[in-house]
Amino acid sequence: MEPAINGSTKMASAVFFDSVARHILAQHAHETPDLRRCIVLLPNYHVAQPLAQALAKAANVPALLLPKMVTLNDWAQSVPLAASVVPETCRAATLYQALRERRWFSDADLWGIASEMLRLLNELTQHHVPLPQNEEDFLAQLERAYQAKRNAAMQFEARVVHELWYAMNASRELDVTRAYQQRLAHLAQQADSPLVVLRASALAAPEARFLEAYAEHAPVMVFDLREMAEQEPSCAALASSSIRAGLRDQAAHLREHFPHAKLTQRLRLFAAHSLELEARAAEVQVRRWLLAGKQNIALVAQDRLVARRVRALLERAGVLVRDESGWTMSTLSVSTVLMRWLDALQSDFYYQDLLDLLKSPFIFADQPAQQRKQAVYQLEQLVRKHGVASHLDSFLDLAHGDEDVQVALVRLRQATETLRKNSDTLSGWLRALNESLSILGVLQGLAADVAGAQLLQALQTWQQELAADNTRFSRAEWRHWLAKQLDGHTFRDTAIDSPVLLTHLAATRWRSFDAVLLLGADASHLPSTDNGSVWFNDAVRSTLGLPTREVHLAQQRDDLLALLAMNDTVLVTWQASKSGEKNLLSPYLEMLRALHEQAYSDNLEERELGALLEDAQVRASEVNRPIDLPFPTEMPRPVVLQSLIPSRISPSAYNSLVACPYQYYARHMLRLNELDEVREGVEKRDYGEWVHDILHRFHQQFPVLAEHSRSELEEALQHISTEVFAPSVERDYLARAWLLRWQQAIPAYLDTQLKSEADGWRYQNGEVPFELPLTDELTLHGRIDRVDAQADGAARVLDYKMMEATRLRNKLKEAGEDVQLACYAQVYEADEAAFISIEKDKVLAVAPPQNLPELAQANIVRLLDVFTQIRKGAPLPAHGVDEACMYCETRGLCRKSEWSTA
């Protein structure tokens, strides 16, 4: 959208600032050029510059001394108070203690309730709402407001609010709200300078009372942007859209009195049909504006999710974004290191919490980065190799001999001692946290980061504010408090300098931009909900004199009107459909669109932008399609770099190659399977490993079963089984179920083995490692569960499987589908090969139905042929069947569910 506004056309905002400037100069004509006695209350400091320019232009004098320009809050803060102000952190802690002592809310989020209650108490103070001295009178007041008979819920609500209100006010301490009121009262009493107020919506009750009191002592001039907009022809349609009259009457009025008030060149509406499309449209439009020379572009985010995506697309295109709204501190990595540290303490150093903590760039910042990373890598290798899930001492035992890892773990243990206590004050906990962070080198890391430095300042401020509070809290209570504090603290990065600004609607009051993009303006985001209070409905709030939801909605409507009135180029985007269902435009904008269409036969739809999106996409140089496609459209078929092709392969890896070449590529070429997951619970593969160990020990001890009695064999096998399972049974009671399952199979296993010996087979060896060079470039390696032999030298290879014989037969039905036995047979030039199926009380041998030597040779030939093709550049497609994909850990990498659907 490119507005057809030439250089001689006055910007909309200039009209309003010129009007304000003329009035100020007219009122102070006898003082010009010295306007310092006048005070101008601004909605924000961005308004100061354009107002100063308008004053200088209207005054037309060589030099002009400007009036004092300030926001009301900053002006109030300049007033000193005799008494000290109690910080909100202290009041919240006091309120929490009161809730905890009364035990009204069992197993509830007391910090959340305390926060909500504090907000309500501040509102009552702010709006001078007196509560009756008697709780019964207050309950009667609620009955009238709710228009319902009292019940248990109403009585409870009345008791909580009434009792806590008087408990918190008993000390007569000066809180932030009362301090603000006192400061405003002082300013009003000492008023001796003319006051000019710029506003875009109704003032809150305290500010309105302040202006009334100030006007009793000095002149007050209020410039309401809503009223000013109604007087400007160019804003007539905008102003009319807020009038409570019939749509047809408003349209007729505009056609008759404002025939040239069309918004066609100022406002356009773009309907997208997905979040991605809305974000791409916004990104393209911003780049068009930048190419057109616009240097002050605002992204006004009603939908933060869309805004984040737009920001990502712009930064990918090389356009940085200044974020005026900021980021919640809890979402930043500087806070994550704190919470991971506390997570690790709480979980007794559960390995995932520990590794997450140690991978933070902020921990051990006093050490060289490479040394720190190497220590974490070594620890992760040890943890995953040995399957240790928790306990700092266990990790220290693992790290014996690795000095860097041990040093890191010892520092963790030292830091742990500072937070070992069970309870302390909030200030004491913060002091202990600071000490632990110092031991871990986190303070140094945070201090070197912009957000980290702000976090350290916040922690120090909270500690100082709470120093006088003696309430003791458990570590869990303190940690919950800290999380709430981080959730409520905002970080703003002021280091970014960019013509593109991300902000929110309330921050645009009286501000003008070269262009404005209003993101996510659907009915669910504009007006947005105020997340209301858990205390009292709107009827009660209205009765008490508290602001209702209607006030919140009116504020947003006025802010939107001000935004549209102050800016010449505005594009509004929203998702016209979500999940296949229609999604409505904001009712405010829908009314404006309908009015404009009735009056000027133009529905303000943006038609040009949609056609530009495909050609305007930023494309990655290394691929032929946009990198922001929502999902892949075809099966991945990577071609492997020569350096990634392995020189060794195991039978299980060969099976993976046969099942799905892409799976083999991810596991064994990209080596994404190098680190095994730490198994915290007993799994079937654990059971298989234990049975393998038991049978290996048993056959090493009894190579020929026929030489011993059946009772001796059973007793020995039971003893070995109990011994192997013992550590796992002690650690996890579920292991006992697996032991019973194996013991159920012991008689059948002995029967099968005795029959095998009767057929002439004798146990020769078990757990046999092998390496078989196939070519100069490829070696087959692995380990065979068991090798049997006959007197004439014939060999047989066996592999234990903890699954049903039917499944094994299906695996062997098609020649080459399962290559394990064929590979083992090739290594030993075996005459026979079989899986030993061990499932509950059945033990069966399952052999391939094909000729074994031919099958073995064919599999080796195929393996060599496949590697030859890979070296020549053959792709490795993800064509695995569903059975191979079911438990594949790389399915999230190949994304089969998406491209197969496409």
Side-chain angles (χ1 to χ4, degrees), residues 52-66:
Q53 291 172 343
L55 284 168
K57 179 181 176 183
N60 194 26
V61 293
L64 183 69
L65 297 176
L66 294 170

Side-chain angles (χ1 to χ4, degrees), residues 537-548:
N537 61 17
D538 269 0
V540 178
R541 293 178 67 83
S542 179
T543 301
L544 294 175
L546 297 176
T548 62

